[in-house]
Amino acid sequence: VSTAVSPSLADVTSVAALSAVTVTAMRSSTIIALTNAAATTISTLAAVAGATLGGFQMEAKETARVTDIMAASFSSTPLDITTFQESMKAVAPVALSAGVSIEQTTAMLGVMAKAGIVGSAAGTGLRRILSELGKTGGDVGEELRKLGSKGLDMSEAMDLVGKNAYSSLLVLANGTPLMDELTTAFENSEGAAKATADTMNAGAEGGIKEMIS
């Protein structure tokens, strides 16, 4: 017994139109697996993956990289398909400009999500932080570590990024160990989407077998 969702021709057509990801990429077992794992539709998932690819100026062949990061972040942080979409929509182009990878950006969003800062609030807050800390072209992650090690207070944070983003900066400056841990995990997340879906499918099959035994 399988709980996998088989995309229809209409799904695939909608996916290609929504996300600018090639039809070949849409047929990837990874993106279908994550559709099941994230409990969403293939059109929604592909739109989010496609927009993220576009925001970071990545090629369609990197779809699996994006969906694996998504799967890993959904299982290890409070992020989900909706909050990931809303955050990335605001921050991805600025992260690219600041030289922050998709893995580290997702890690930052994960740290913020654990503190209750999610969705568009997280995206706009992080966008402001990356814009300010990335002005000099230096390593934003290192700048956050320096701020955390010296002990950033509320007034200093507000001076650096303004009243709308200072709370996000405080969370990130104090959460750099977790940020680094998550970044490494996401950099090594190849196969996470399929693994998550396989685990869910195995659980569903086991439950059905137990019911009929």
Side-chain angles (χ1 to χ4, degrees):
V1 180
S2 174
T3 59
V5 176
S6 298
S8 66
L9 179 59
D11 283 329
V12 174
T13 303
S14 176
V15 163
L18 280 170
S19 65
V21 180
T22 65
V23 173
T24 299
M26 289 304 94
R27 289 172 180 159
S28 162
S29 61
T30 302
I31 202 165
I32 296 172
L34 184 55
T35 298
N36 300 318
T40 188
T41 66
I42 191 170
S43 295
T44 297
L45 176 62
V48 176
T52 305
L53 284 167
F56 282 94
Q57 295 184 12
M58 299 165 68
E59 297 182 9
K61 65 184 180 181
E62 295 182 274
T63 299
R65 175 184 169 190
V66 172
T67 54
D68 282 334
I69 292 167
M70 290 167 67
S73 69
F74 298 167
S75 64
S76 60
T77 77
L79 290 171
D80 58 25
I81 188 75
T82 301
T83 55
F84 181 92
Q85 177 184 33
E86 290 301 310
S87 297
M88 281 298 185
K89 186 164 57 177
V91 76
V94 175
L96 174 67
S97 179
V100 180
S101 68
I102 181 176
E103 289 86 357
Q104 189 172 43
T105 302
T106 306
M108 291 175 179
L109 292 173
V111 172
M112 294 166 70
K114 283 180 176 287
I117 305 172
V118 296
S120 59
T124 54
L126 184 55
R127 181 176 64 195
R128 174 70 175 175
I129 291 167
L130 297 182
S131 296
E132 292 301 320
L133 299 188
K135 279 181 177 178
T136 62
D139 185 324
V140 174
E142 185 57 32
E143 289 300 316
L144 287 170
R145 293 182 200 98
K146 289 178 181 177
L147 290 172
S149 64
K150 84 177 189 65
L152 185 68
D153 64 28
M154 186 186 306
S155 177
E156 291 171 324
M158 198 173 296
D159 287 341
L160 281 170
V161 297
K163 64 179 182 179
N164 292 326
Y166 82 92
S167 59
S168 296
L169 179 58
L170 288 170
V171 167
L172 287 175
N174 291 320
T176 52
L178 177 58
M179 178 190 74
D180 291 338
E181 179 184 332
L182 289 173
T183 299
T184 299
F186 299 155
E187 288 172 346
N188 294 285
S189 63
E190 183 176 355
K194 188 175 186 306
T196 301
D198 287 348
T199 298
M200 291 182 67
N201 289 341
E205 290 176 6
I208 291 172
K209 287 179 181 178
E210 184 176 341
M211 288 172 63
I212 63 178
S213 62

